[in-house]
Amino acid sequence: FGITAEFIKIQDNNAILTLEGDSSIARIKLSETITAYPVEFTAYFNVPSFQENLNIYLGGGEGLYSGDRKRKILNFESETISKTFGLSLVVLSGIEYYFEKNFMSFMELRFRDGEYDVKSKFPINSINVNGISYSLGSEMNSKIFLDGLKVSLGLGYRF
């Protein structure tokens, strides 16, 4: 059995937000930061091996995902109103090579399809660009996806 916990931070300082006014459109530079905290609970099955120092395994489990999304325009940063956790299945496979009794090198492929929701808003309702007022909207509902393939390489010690 295994438990993994991670911290993921993705920042984009060159995003563009398009705002629509009554008769004009403005494009404003936006900074966006997404943080995620995946926690995954897994079980493993060791495939019968032909060599003592080689272990191949398959596994799967459940992932619990949470995090935040912050947007910043000029000096105004969005405020988080609420967050909800997401659950997803995790599928993995790996190989371990033991070069000593308990010391090993490993490679693992893990597929996850996690997601979580964040509701946020800016502390102001509108912003002025070249003398024209643009509405920022009341609330932003975001669904953040953490899907894809994760490849891990490393050294380990088995107790």
Side-chain angles (χ1 to χ4, degrees):
F1 294 96
I3 298 174
T4 60
E6 298 175 57
F7 171 75
I8 300 170
K9 183 176 181 179
I10 301 168
Q11 188 164 355
D12 184 0
N13 292 323
N14 295 314
I16 301 293
L17 178 64
T18 303
L19 301 171
E20 295 183 23
D22 294 332
S23 60
S24 61
I25 295 175
R27 294 174 51 106
I28 299 174
K29 189 173 179 182
L30 171 77
S31 177
E32 183 171 39
T33 303
I34 295 173
T35 54
Y37 310 100
V39 177
E40 296 169 339
F41 304 91
T42 52
Y44 302 94
F45 169 74
N46 291 328
V47 176
S49 176
F50 298 107
Q51 295 183 0
E52 270 186 41
N53 58 348
L54 189 65
N55 182 37
I56 299 171
Y57 59 90
L58 303 172
E62 186 81 28
L64 180 65
Y65 306 93
S66 180
D68 205 355
R69 180 182 190 182
K70 295 286 187 181
R71 292 176 159 187
K72 190 173 183 180
I73 298 175
L74 303 174
N75 291 325
F76 302 105
E77 186 171 85
S78 62
E79 301 166 346
T80 302
I81 299 169
S82 67
K83 301 182 234 184
T84 58
F85 287 94
L87 290 173
S88 174
L89 294 177
V90 177
V91 178
L92 58 93
S93 177
I95 186 167
E96 299 169 334
Y97 177 76
Y98 288 85
F99 48 87
E100 289 291 328
K101 182 179 177 184
N102 293 335
F103 290 97
M104 67 175 145
S105 61
F106 67 89
M107 182 184 85
E108 182 177 276
L109 301 174
R110 181 180 295 245
F111 177 78
R112 63 167 65 131
D113 191 23
E115 63 182 51
Y116 60 93
D117 296 314
V118 177
K119 185 183 287 188
S120 58
K121 69 175 187 169
F122 281 105
I124 56 173
N125 294 328
S126 63
I127 191 166
N128 287 323
V129 177
N130 296 330
I132 301 172
S133 182
Y134 295 93
S135 174
L136 292 176
S138 57
E139 293 179 353
M140 296 174 286
N141 294 311
S142 302
K143 184 175 285 289
I144 310 299
F145 293 96
L146 294 174
D147 57 350
L149 183 66
K150 175 185 165 191
V151 178
S152 300
L153 300 170
L155 300 174
Y157 181 82
R158 187 170 294 255
F159 296 96

